[in-house]
Amino acid sequence: MPDALRVTKATEADLPLILKFVQDLADYERLRDQCVATEEKLRGSLFGAHPYAEVLIARLDDEPVGFAVYFHSYSTFLANHGLYLEDLFVIPEARGKGIGYALLAELAGIAVERGCERLEWAVLDWNDLAIDFYKRIGAVEKDEWTTFRLSGEALHSMAAK
């Protein structure tokens, strides 16, 4: 990593920046209408009594240029934990400078340090730039799996049964 590029763990003081990155990512993914994150909700879920996820911030010449949000997952087949990368985002003007690579390298280091056996994530099928990047670093596409989601009214209905 060049001296000008640093990746550090986010702190509670980074909440406005984290929210900005989340909103920018939602815009990029064309999902802003689904983004209801607030600083208060992020504070509770990232820095509350029981944090559900962690955040890395990338800075280039001390300017924030990207982030990664991740949490622990579990595999019954491996009988071990892994890390799941929920979000990886680099601001458009900083892309192509190794920032995404640096964030993933830091995350891979955390996974190895914690004894995780894998690092996984999902990518939108139209995001060819990201898919090509992930393949170049050795990630393997898991096309035999289909992701399902239960949310909103369907989630509440199922919980009531």
Side-chain angles (χ1 to χ4, degrees), residues 1 5-11 14 55-59 66-68 70 103 106 110:
M1 223 181 320
L5 179 58
R6 289 183 311 117
V7 175
T8 59
K9 290 193 77 156
T11 67
D14 292 313
V55 181
L56 296 173
I57 304 284
R59 289 181 170 82
F67 83 141
Y70 61 99
L103 284 163
E106 184 72 19
I110 291 168

Side-chain angles (χ1 to χ4, degrees), residues 58-80:
R59 289 181 170 82
L60 186 60
D61 296 325
D62 291 324
E63 289 298 317
V65 292
F67 83 141
V69 179
Y70 61 99
F71 55 88
H72 278 272
S73 60
Y74 185 78
S75 168
T76 53
F77 287 7
L78 297 175
N80 200 0

Side-chain angles (χ1 to χ4, degrees), residues 10-29:
T11 67
E12 196 166 345
D14 292 313
L15 279 169
L17 174 62
I18 295 168
L19 179 59
K20 170 98 170 76
F21 281 153
V22 168
Q23 292 168 338
D24 290 349
L25 175 62
D27 288 338
Y28 176 76
E29 292 183 343

